[in-house]
Amino acid sequence: WKNVVYLYSQVSQSELDPSDQETEPPKPLLWLHVPDFLGTGVIRQLDSVETEFGSWQQDSRCAGVVVPDECPYRASTELLEVTYTPFECAETQDCDKVKATARFNIAATGQEDAKMNLLKTIVVCILLGTMSNLFQSDTQELVIAPIEKMVNIIK
């Protein structure tokens, strides 16, 4: 059970280089609220797990059913909460508290998206500036110069 929990905490590990197991996952698991199969089976938050694969410890600043104010990540954009409710409980109200919840830090993904959007904005600005310059020179050559020539002939 502990191995499963530890491996779940590493599921967002970078797939670009699977041999690099020393790096922190880009979407680290911050908090886990699941049945404790080593204890009584009651759904509770797991504080830490030690295995032969490695160890995982919750971030106590972001632990709890409701995200505390001490959590350094914005709940709306930097945290991803994944909830699992058993199929048997989906249609009844009897077991509405039977659900497993995991909270991940997705701030790195948002930062990567922001970097790509900034790069896209810079490329669009360069394209707009270049096209504007080309349009201006073509307008000068094809429209304004002939009109000036006709005005000079008429004078």
Side-chain angles (χ1 to χ4, degrees):
W1 166 244
K2 288 182 176 183
N3 290 339
V4 170
V5 171
Y6 172 74
L7 292 173
Y8 184 69
S9 74
Q10 301 298 307
V11 294
S12 63
Q13 190 114 22
S14 175
E15 296 173 9
L16 297 176
D17 187 7
S19 66
D20 187 14
Q21 297 297 320
E22 298 300 319
T23 60
E24 185 71 19
K27 300 175 192 170
L29 178 64
L30 299 174
W31 178 70
L32 196 57
H33 190 252
V34 294
D36 183 7
F37 289 117
L38 296 178
T40 60
V42 174
I43 295 179
R44 66 177 188 87
Q45 75 179 23
L46 295 180
D47 297 330
S48 64
V49 172
E50 299 284 334
T51 72
E52 64 262 13
F53 297 118
S55 63
W56 170 80
Q57 185 170 359
Q58 77 172 1
D59 186 339
S60 59
R61 301 171 299 173
C62 298
V65 176
V66 177
V67 179
D69 293 334
E70 300 87 45
C71 185
Y73 309 108
R74 293 178 298 223
S76 60
T77 58
E78 296 180 332
L79 295 177
L80 173 66
E81 198 161 284
V82 178
T83 304
Y84 171 75
T85 303
F87 175 73
E88 295 82 8
C89 295
E91 299 170 1
T92 66
Q93 298 297 326
D94 298 336
C95 55
D96 59 346
K97 296 197 186 288
V98 179
K99 65 179 179 180
T101 307
R103 188 172 297 137
F104 292 91
N105 172 4
I106 59 169
T109 304
Q111 291 169 354
E112 190 63 33
D113 288 346
K115 288 176 188 174
M116 295 308 286
N117 285 336
L118 181 63
L119 182 63
K120 190 187 318 180
T121 301
I122 291 171
V123 168
V124 167
C125 287
I126 290 171
L127 281 174
L128 282 174
T130 303
M131 293 301 165
S132 171
N133 212 5
L134 288 173
F135 181 75
Q136 181 183 1
S137 66
D138 286 347
T139 303
Q140 177 68 32
E141 183 181 324
L142 298 174
V143 177
I144 297 176
I147 291 175
E148 285 178 348
K149 186 177 177 183
M150 284 190 281
V151 168
N152 287 338
I153 292 173
I154 293 174
K155 283 185 182 182

